[in-house]
């Protein structure tokens, strides 16, 4: 289930490389600012975005969905909560 969003993200990122970049906002070279801009793009209104930014938004959303679906069950199995394991005191 997690492989599908991550595979789509990879394909979509590959498609982004061939698109012309028309940004409505300036792009920063600072990685922290760029990460913040990507997260802000996830919740941006589609009407205000260029076609490149729309594709980038879908790519980031699918990557985040795949990461959540991968990390959630993995955490449950590793932590013991998914197996019904109780602590010695409980």
């Amino acid at each position: 289930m997690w492989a599908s969003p991550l595979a789509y993200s990879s394909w979509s990122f590959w498609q982004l490389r061939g698109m012309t970049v028309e940004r409505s906002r300036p792009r920063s070279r600072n990685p922290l600012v760029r990460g913040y801009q990507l997260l802000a793009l996830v919740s941006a209104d589609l009407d205000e975005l260029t076609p490149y930014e729309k594709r980038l938004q879908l790519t980031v959303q699918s990557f985040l969905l795949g990461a959540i679906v991968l990390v959630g069950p993995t955490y449950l199995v590793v932590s013991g909560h998914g197996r019904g394991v109780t602590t010695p005191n409980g």
Side-chain angles (χ1 to χ4, degrees):
M1 190 163 141
W2 57 267
S4 180
L6 293 179
Y8 173 80
S9 297
S10 301
W11 173 82
S12 186
F13 180 74
W14 181 69
Q15 293 291 319
L16 277 170
R17 296 183 330 146
M19 293 180 73
T20 50
V21 179
E22 301 171 15
R23 290 192 174 82
S24 59
R25 296 176 202 104
R27 184 174 176 184
S28 174
R29 297 187 74 67
N30 184 344
L32 293 175
V33 173
R34 286 182 71 184
Y36 175 74
Q37 288 174 342
L38 283 177
L39 290 178
L41 184 66
V42 169
S43 62
D45 187 18
L46 283 175
D47 296 334
E48 299 174 1
L49 301 177
T50 65
Y52 179 85
E53 290 173 333
K54 288 178 185 179
R55 168 70 72 162
L56 185 60
Q57 182 185 42
L58 286 173
T59 303
V60 171
Q61 287 174 343
S62 64
F63 178 77
L64 290 175
L65 177 68
I68 289 169
V69 171
L70 175 65
V71 170
T74 304
Y75 170 75
L76 291 176
V77 169
V78 171
S79 68
H81 295 295
R83 295 178 287 183
V85 176
T86 60
T87 60
N89 296 333

